[in-house]
Amino acid sequence: MVARLRPEGRAKKRRRRPKNEILWWWQRIGVADRLECRWLEERVMAGSITTVEVCDPHEITPTMWELFTPTPTSAITPPQFLARTYRAGDWSCYKREKDAYRTTVSVGKLGRTCFVRMVDREPTDMVIQSPGLDHYCLTILQRGNGMLAQPRRASPAGLGADGAAIFHGEPGTVLKTDRHAAKINVWIPAGLLRRQAAAMLDGADLDSLNCNVGIDTSSPAGAGLQRMTEWLWNEIGQAGSPLSQDIAAASAQDMFLRTVVLALTEGRAAALRDSAKAAAPATVRRAEEFMRDRAEEQLTVDDIAIAAGCSSRALQAAFRRFRGITPMTALRRIRLESAHEAIMRSDGSISTTEIAARFRFFNSGRFASQYQHAFGEYPSRIASRRPAR
């Protein structure tokens, strides 16, 4: 057997692709090379909203990438950012009249939620590709008609003018809108909505809420959610708005999340709350209430078990079964939430290190890391944005 030798200087090199194909593609061709048409006009800043007009739906994602590239403290990772893609809804029209396509994209933030208003001149689809987004998207259709197709549903759901829907960013989800449609998409980190639902419904999770549904905007809760979404959007765009302050933005975000949960559970809140109480035994609820009341004190599993009225072993088993975590992990989360609330309410007279120590976080580096993982940014950044006294 004769071995074939490759000529010198022609050694074969294998190119390794990262797991995320979308990210690999943009890195390979370069975002700047894709933007041949660029923006039709310069960025327009109104309050805390950035607006651009894009002349090709396929360029929306790379354009947003250039403007809002995620940072390590962002609520969304780069692969998730790039999983949200856009395409022409009418391919034959796109090939025939490509210049007719125009999309005006406006982006504003409220806390960790992202508001995106899009006005499409021609039919446009939003397609979520792999790996998807661990976010929920609330869509308020202000003008035109739309259709939401999801991989787990047999048939797509129609959206009329003033219609609304909420869905999880699963790969394969497609949101279609027709000509001259205008919509507001609010992207909510899934963890935020899950915690809000659990707090309002005594531990009920989002799976029990069926968070992939249309929202009836003619109902009291649905109409309230529509009005609040549009008001928040308009207020974010006002120069000097109170929502530009972290404390006001955090309060508005909490109220918005509560309104979302109320709209999702309208007519079912009592039943969901009762089922959650039936699922979680009284020992777990007593333990959680005790931990919230004593978050600043040094506690052990035995202390919590005595307050809950059971043995330490029974408490451990109950938390693993009904919460999926240990009692001490639950205590750490409660302390993190309490520290977060204290930091957001602080006027700067007390440092974040002192607040952390009050809730038994004595290692400032570890506290900052856990805080960033839970809330999307470091506590020092919140303090740096606070107005000087």
Side-chain angles (χ1 to χ4, degrees):
M1 182 175 180
V2 179
R4 294 186 177 180
L5 299 178
R6 187 176 298 276
E8 187 177 354
R10 293 180 58 187
K12 185 176 181 181
K13 295 182 180 180
R14 292 187 177 181
R15 187 185 299 275
R16 295 185 61 187
R17 297 187 182 185
K19 294 181 180 180
N20 185 274
E21 292 290 327
I22 303 173
L23 183 59
W24 175 85
W25 175 253
W26 292 120
Q27 289 176 342
R28 179 178 170 84
I29 64 178
V31 172
D33 296 336
R34 286 277 297 175
L35 299 181
E36 298 174 357
C37 60
R38 303 298 297 173
W39 310 321
L40 294 181
E41 56 186 39
E42 294 296 325
R43 266 192 303 176
V44 178
M45 300 291 292
S48 299
I49 291 176
T50 302
T51 300
V52 295
E53 189 174 31
V54 185
C55 63
D56 188 330
H58 305 89
E59 307 298 341
I60 294 175
T61 296
T63 299
M64 292 300 100
W65 174 266
E66 282 203 340
L67 293 177
F68 307 104
T69 303
T71 65
T73 59
S74 298
I76 187 171
T77 63
Q80 291 181 356
F81 188 103
L82 296 171
R84 191 172 41 193
T85 61
Y86 300 85
R87 69 188 183 193
D90 186 340
W91 184 246
S92 61
C93 176
Y94 175 77
K95 290 193 298 183
R96 187 175 61 254
E97 301 179 68
K98 183 176 179 180
D99 293 340
Y101 273 81
R102 298 286 186 275
T103 300
T104 303
V105 185
S106 304
V107 181
K109 293 194 68 177
L110 177 70
R112 295 187 66 206
T113 59
C114 183
F115 285 64
V116 182
R117 186 173 189 269
M118 305 185 72
V119 180
D120 303 310
R121 185 181 295 182
E122 297 293 337
T124 303
D125 300 345
M126 180 185 72
V127 183
I128 297 179
Q129 300 184 11
S130 180
L133 296 83
D134 193 21
H135 282 59
Y136 285 93
C137 179
L138 169 67
T139 294
I140 305 287
L141 199 59
Q142 297 179 304
R143 187 174 68 238
N145 297 299
M147 184 177 296
L148 176 63
Q150 297 176 283
R152 299 186 185 183
R153 288 186 174 271
S155 58
L159 292 174
D162 293 327
I166 187 167
F167 56 92
H168 189 254
E170 296 182 58
T173 300
V174 180
L175 177 63
K176 295 176 171 287
T177 51
D178 60 10
R179 297 184 64 191
H180 306 298
K183 60 182 177 290
I184 297 177
N185 290 337
V186 186
W187 294 93
I188 309 168
L192 278 182
L193 198 56
R194 291 190 185 108
R195 285 194 293 269
Q196 188 64 59
M200 294 175 62
L201 302 170
D202 293 328
D205 57 28
L206 289 183
D207 291 337
S208 62
L209 301 184
N210 187 23
C211 280
N212 288 282
V213 295
I215 295 175
D216 183 8
T217 53
S218 64
S219 67
L225 176 60
Q226 182 183 28
R227 289 194 301 269
M228 172 170 283
T229 303
E230 293 179 343
W231 179 84
L232 286 172
W233 170 255
N234 292 326
E235 186 62 26
I236 292 171
Q238 299 298 318
S241 168
L243 297 184
S244 61
Q245 303 295 323
D246 289 337
I247 295 177
S251 299
Q253 177 184 266
D254 290 342
M255 183 177 295
F256 172 72
L257 293 176
R258 292 189 184 99
T259 307
V260 171
V261 175
L262 288 173
L264 287 171
T265 60
E266 190 168 26
R268 300 184 295 144
L272 288 167
R273 193 178 293 110
D274 291 342
S275 65
K277 286 182 177 179
T283 53
V284 172
R285 300 198 301 274
R286 284 196 297 267
E288 290 173 333
E289 184 177 354
F290 176 75
M291 288 187 283
R292 291 190 184 94
D293 293 340
R294 307 290 183 88
E296 300 181 18
E297 301 179 16
Q298 182 175 358
L299 300 175
T300 65
V301 174
D302 292 337
D303 296 330
I304 301 171
I306 292 172
C310 64
S311 66
S312 299
R313 180 173 296 180
L315 183 70
Q316 296 272 12
F319 264 86
R320 285 196 175 93
R321 178 180 177 184
F322 295 99
R323 293 292 185 259
I325 55 176
T326 66
M328 298 311 290
T329 300
L331 176 60
R332 185 175 68 250
R333 290 181 179 179
I334 289 171
R335 284 172 169 168
L336 269 175
E337 292 172 359
S338 300
H340 172 66
E341 293 175 0
I343 290 172
M344 298 305 295
R345 291 195 305 265
S346 175
D347 59 359
S349 60
I350 182 172
S351 68
T352 57
T353 302
E354 292 173 301
I355 294 175
R358 184 201 305 171
F359 293 100
R360 317 298 299 179
F361 294 100
F362 300 111
N363 186 314
S364 58
R366 187 175 301 169
F367 169 72
S369 176
Q370 293 176 357
Y371 188 97
Q372 190 274 336
H373 180 75
F375 303 106
E377 60 182 343
Y378 291 100
S380 57
R381 294 194 62 185
I382 297 176
S384 66
R385 292 198 303 267
R386 188 177 292 119
R389 301 183 65 201

